[in-house]
Amino acid sequence: MPSTRNAVVSLVAVGTLLGAAGAAAADTASPAPSGAPTGDGAAALCRRAPKIDQRIDRILDRLHADASQRGSVARLEQRVANAKSAGHTEIESYLNDRLTFRRSLIPTLEARHKDLSQVEKWCGANDNGTKK
């Protein structure tokens, strides 16, 4: 029993010391800028731009594919038509909402692709975002 009591007392002492040290460190540290970013993240975006470009291309290819490709607009259109011909109005309505959303992705992704090409040009001219 004495070893258990010693262990508990030791843990309480360590916890008290760490708590006091943390409070002292907090008093001497300068205040944080309330989570505000310090930069625009240009270097990180320049580093990630090629992978983002590949991802957008892959998604657009899938959306524009034929009905045999999972995730394509054509496949979802076929599923909506199948639900309609089977008389499953609730399924048709659900799939139609998904189809509307999926169709709206295409212009959004095409705009991002265009914007990203401008970012890649900027990165090339500005030393991958490290030039100030």
Side-chain angles (χ1 to χ4, degrees):
M1 206 44 106
S3 63
T4 304
R5 184 175 46 205
N6 288 340
V8 170
V9 169
S10 298
L11 287 174
V12 169
V14 169
T16 303
L17 288 174
L18 289 177
D27 288 340
T28 60
S30 62
S34 71
T38 58
D40 62 357
L45 183 58
C46 288
R47 202 172 37 250
R48 296 272 311 138
K51 287 190 178 194
I52 295 169
D53 193 31
Q54 288 174 351
R55 185 181 313 143
I56 291 172
D57 285 340
R58 188 180 69 236
I59 294 169
L60 284 172
D61 287 345
R62 182 174 55 233
L63 289 172
H64 289 302
D66 62 2
S68 65
Q69 172 69 40
R70 291 181 66 185
S72 69
V73 171
R75 184 179 181 105
L76 195 49
E77 287 171 341
Q78 184 63 48
R79 290 180 63 197
V80 169
N82 292 347
K84 185 175 184 174
S85 67
H88 300 151
T89 56
E90 291 82 6
I91 304 299
E92 178 192 359
S93 175
Y94 175 77
L95 292 176
N96 225 353
D97 290 343
R98 286 182 57 192
L99 180 60
T100 301
F101 174 73
R102 195 165 294 174
R103 283 181 179 150
S104 74
L105 283 176
I106 294 172
T108 301
L109 290 172
E110 288 171 345
R112 285 186 186 173
H113 188 53
K114 180 181 164 203
D115 292 343
L116 189 62
S117 68
Q118 295 299 317
V119 167
E120 288 175 321
K121 286 179 188 175
W122 181 90
C123 290
N126 291 286
D127 198 24
N128 287 326
T130 57
K131 188 188 230 183
K132 290 194 178 197

